[in-house]
Amino acid sequence: MRTLHGPTDHVVVVGAGLAGLSAALHLLGAGRRVTLVERAGQPGGRAGRGDLGGYRIDTGPTVLTMPHLVEEAFAAVGARMADHLRLTELHPAYRARFADGSRLDVHTRPAPMEEEIRRFASDREAAGYRRLRTWLEKLYALQMRRFIDTNFDSPLALLTPDLARLAALGGLGRMDAQVGRFIADERLRRVFTFQALYAGVPPARALAAYAVIAHMDTMAGVHFPHGGMHALPRALAEAATAAGAEIHYHHTVEALERAGERITAVRTDHARIPCDAVVLTPDLPTAYRLLGRAPRRVVPLRHSPSAVVLHAGTDRTWPGLGHHTLSFGHAWHTTFDELTRLGRPMSDPSLLISRPTATDPSLAPPGRHLHYVLAPCPNTDFGPGTREWTALAPAYRDHLLRVLEQRGLDGLGAAVEAEALVTPVDWTAQGHAAGSPFSAAHTFAQTGPFRPRNLVRGTANAVLAGCGTTPGVGIPTVLISGKLAAARVTGLPGGPARPRRAAAATTGGTR
């Protein structure tokens, strides 16, 4: 694995999102002095926090899986997750509601899920689920070790016996077809393939390797932090500060000072910070602009679909909702065509509804409830642009409320006391390319060693981290991205770390 050359004693991390915080903790654990600069007034990046008249809303992810990766970040500085963050495992992880009126509770443990599928479908489908679970576990074990938690220096690094093992497992086939080998019921197949949308590719075209997201979502456990999802970056920032990191909020990076191929300082709108190395976590266009160079690609980056999010504080809730509810329309394949090929909002939408107050009532005023409705939509590269969305937004909000009321949330519109609608206009204003918070899609040409690398040619001491680079989109992979970026600075993860005092003494700094 290639690592940075020259001194790396003081590292400036640009962005205190999950990738930046993960990188900072792993760097601190390896004895580096770390300064984080963040343009917002709080940590989190996409995993931010907003306030709607007493309703505390999470502005980004709503699903937390693979908490051992969070524990790993804390452990890098000798901390324990339990001392900073309290998690509740959700049972069921999801509730799926279908257009025909049927309902399925998605359990992450095998016995309850088998029994639920037996009730919902048949003994045959329950047996298929058992085989699917075994397949997904094998796929996950192989990919996590060799293809996800790995720094690639060249596509040639793929040419190992593990690639043959992945092919033998069917990981190079198509996701929907491979899941269909085990499960015939079309409704069940949706539950185990809708995650392809996170990767920006329809299940019929997504690599079966991305079924590992279904493993994370439906089998490895889904958790929710007390205080909401924003409690995760707050806890990581707290641990980083306790380990010696300096975090400067309300600092927007304006330029990187260079001497040849080395970055010598980070200039913000408030300070000049000398450094030995830099970890950049903003979206790729911003990172490349700061670096003054971008890698050449034969085909331009293709971005994932975007999303419209409705945050609604209400004076009531609906007993049919779980903490997370998947509300599927009649349409399925045409839905993905609209999102990824035709470039128009879903005519029969499939929606994710999160009700965080089901687990933590403190996120809303007493007796009130918080609902988060996510509707995937085309990104602005091939769907409506920001000007069109400015005009579309009010009518689309009303359309979503009508759909939800038709699907059993009667009286939702009248129950709303506070709300915020987020569209591609807002994602664009936050600097997300193509108006998408999900960054570059995981097509084959943008996967593994073909994804934008975390090292940029022509710069000797900068590393990228975040969902646009290795390994990709989602909380687990973004945490890994920060760890992989730190490894480019310090050497292989788990390798010998320099004593912290020695590192501080070398740079004349103090902890």
Side-chain angles (χ1 to χ4, degrees), residues 153-511:
D153 288 327
S154 163
L156 296 176
L158 280 177
L159 302 178
T160 70
D162 284 326
L163 183 63
R165 295 186 185 100
L166 181 63
L169 279 173
L172 303 183
R174 298 302 175 192
M175 185 175 180
D176 188 58
Q178 292 298 324
V179 171
R181 292 191 298 127
F182 306 98
I183 290 176
D185 190 297
E186 194 261 353
R187 298 166 301 170
L188 288 175
R189 286 168 67 172
R190 293 188 188 190
V191 170
F192 294 105
T193 61
F194 81 91
Q195 298 85 359
L197 192 58
Y198 299 157
V201 186
R205 298 207 307 267
L207 284 176
Y210 282 106
V212 294
I213 310 175
H215 175 273
M216 297 175 187
D217 244 19
T218 64
M219 298 178 185
V222 174
H223 298 76
F224 190 72
H226 181 76
M229 293 293 288
H230 183 62
L232 171 58
R234 287 203 316 270
L236 293 172
E238 181 182 83
T241 301
E246 294 181 14
I247 306 181
H248 300 297
Y249 296 112
H250 299 295
H251 275 241
T252 298
V253 175
E254 295 181 336
L256 304 176
E257 295 183 9
R258 303 176 70 101
E261 290 194 341
R262 294 193 68 81
I263 294 166
T264 57
V266 174
R267 278 198 291 111
T268 77
D269 52 355
H270 291 293
R272 177 184 181 274
I273 307 171
C275 62
D276 297 312
V278 176
V279 175
L280 296 168
T281 71
D283 267 16
L284 292 177
T286 301
Y288 292 150
R289 175 178 57 78
L290 290 171
L291 289 168
R293 62 201 66 206
R296 291 190 298 271
R297 294 184 65 89
V298 176
V299 179
L301 277 179
R302 176 181 166 189
H303 292 87
S304 295
S306 184
V308 173
V309 175
L310 174 64
H311 300 276
T314 62
D315 60 9
R316 59 169 292 195
T317 190
W318 292 262
L321 295 176
H323 183 117
H324 295 302
T325 300
L326 302 168
S327 175
F328 293 105
H330 287 283
W332 186 238
H333 298 294
T334 56
T335 290
F336 287 103
D337 284 342
E338 289 171 330
L339 292 174
T340 64
R341 189 171 60 84
L342 300 176
R344 64 191 186 209
M346 296 178 290
S347 54
D348 183 16
S350 289
L351 307 169
L352 170 65
I353 308 165
S354 290
R355 186 169 57 113
T357 43
T359 303
D360 186 354
S362 72
L363 297 173
R368 297 299 189 262
H369 308 271
L370 186 56
H371 300 84
Y372 166 111
V373 181
L374 184 146
C377 70
N379 66 45
T380 57
D381 276 349
F382 65 97
T386 53
R387 181 178 298 179
E388 289 89 345
W389 268 111
T390 300
L392 275 172
Y396 194 73
R397 174 259 187 204
D398 294 343
H399 170 67
L400 286 178
L401 291 179
R402 283 195 302 273
V403 167
L404 290 167
E405 291 191 350
Q406 291 165 5
R407 295 182 185 178
L409 275 62
D410 55 293
L412 172 59
V416 175
E417 294 185 328
E419 66 178 281
L421 187 72
V422 183
T423 73
V425 175
D426 303 283
W427 303 126
T428 300
Q430 293 174 31
H432 301 318
S436 171
F438 304 115
S439 193
H442 286 264
T443 60
F444 178 78
Q446 296 176 181
T447 293
F450 306 111
R451 197 164 181 81
R453 294 175 58 204
N454 54 12
L455 293 179
V456 179
R457 191 182 302 276
T459 302
N461 61 337
V463 189
L464 305 182
C467 56
T469 185
T470 305
V473 178
I475 289 180
T477 40
V478 164
L479 291 170
I480 291 172
S481 176
K483 182 179 74 168
L484 294 178
R488 292 290 195 186
V489 177
T490 66
L492 288 171
R498 287 182 288 170
R500 291 193 199 172
R501 289 185 183 175
T506 302
T507 59
T510 62
R511 292 256 166 228

Side-chain angles (χ1 to χ4, degrees), residues 110-124:
M113 190 59 189
E114 277 188 46
E115 187 55 39
E116 177 70 355
I117 291 177
R118 188 172 289 110
R119 176 201 65 79
F120 178 80
S122 66
D123 289 342
R124 179 177 179 178

Side-chain angles (χ1 to χ4, degrees), residues 130-146:
R130 278 199 305 274
R131 296 193 302 275
L132 173 65
R133 188 180 184 101
T134 299
W135 178 69
L136 288 174
E137 287 170 346
K138 291 178 179 177
L139 199 65
Y140 168 79
L142 174 62
Q143 286 191 241
M144 181 58 74
R145 181 184 74 251
R146 188 63 188 86

